[in-house]
Amino acid sequence: MNSVFEVQKTIREVLLKMLESHSLEQLNKIPQGFNNNIIWNAAHCISVQQALVYKLSGLPAIVSDEFILKYRRGTKPEGDLSQAEVDEIKALLSTTLEKTKNDFETGLFVDYNEYATSLGYTLKNIQGALDFNNYHEGVHSGIMMSLRKLV
């Protein structure tokens, strides 16, 4: 199972590099034809990971419920984020990954509530959730790569 965390670590490092290589203005810019921006996509990855892994396991998330609600599927930026908010998202990219890995290794994830994704794939256990999460973060990495060309 270590490879799933190695993949997620690589994705999160790519996301972090994108955040660090753009100005606050660029991170907040929503290009014409898009509903969101670079920083929203990074926060969305954190939000979804927390919901898929912790919430569906019946455990409290690492981030607040407000964070999950603000960046969940179907939302869009409500306004520009401050540098402090961007810094928090940057930190969460690492801390949520490390805590999830540690929690997995210590056997915290016992129960899982099945969940049908928007793609029609049903997550049945924590392994499926972690695998699907990497796919999801890969999709949003691609969206962020497209956005960075337009900001």
Side-chain angles (χ1 to χ4, degrees):
M1 197 54 168
N2 209 16
S3 66
V4 75
F5 292 109
E6 289 174 17
V7 170
Q8 189 175 27
K9 183 175 187 244
T10 300
I11 294 168
R12 294 285 178 100
E13 287 170 350
V14 167
L15 298 181
L16 189 57
K17 284 179 187 173
M18 274 193 266
L19 297 183
E20 290 176 343
S21 65
H22 291 81
S23 68
L24 182 60
E25 181 182 349
Q26 289 173 313
L27 294 175
N28 279 304
K29 183 176 181 180
I30 302 173
Q32 187 173 355
F34 286 82
N35 292 325
N36 51 50
N37 52 32
I38 293 172
I39 193 62
W40 180 91
N41 276 276
H44 173 71
C45 287
I46 296 164
S47 171
V48 169
Q49 184 257 8
Q50 292 290 290
L52 292 178
V53 174
Y54 284 88
K55 293 291 193 175
L56 289 173
S57 293
L59 299 168
I62 299 165
V63 301
S64 68
D65 287 341
E66 292 78 21
F67 186 96
I68 292 172
L69 290 172
K70 184 175 181 177
Y71 297 108
R72 71 180 178 183
R73 180 174 172 246
T75 65
K76 58 185 179 180
E78 300 167 355
D80 287 354
L81 297 187
S82 68
Q83 187 61 53
E85 291 169 310
V86 169
D87 291 343
E88 177 188 16
I89 291 165
K90 286 180 185 179
L92 286 171
L93 285 170
S94 299
T95 58
T96 55
L97 169 62
E98 289 305 315
K99 175 111 173 68
T100 303
K101 182 179 180 210
N102 290 340
D103 288 345
F104 181 83
E105 290 171 349
T106 61
L108 183 66
F109 301 105
V110 176
D111 297 321
Y112 197 82
N113 297 307
E114 284 192 13
Y115 175 75
T117 69
S118 60
L119 296 176
Y121 179 74
T122 300
L123 305 177
K124 296 179 181 182
N125 53 43
I126 191 63
Q127 289 83 13
L130 291 167
D131 289 339
F132 184 81
N133 183 69
N134 281 349
Y135 160 78
H136 178 260
E137 291 193 11
V139 167
H140 283 277
S141 295
I143 293 168
M144 291 170 67
M145 288 176 188
S146 295
L147 286 167
R148 71 181 180 178
K149 295 176 181 176
L150 302 171
V151 297

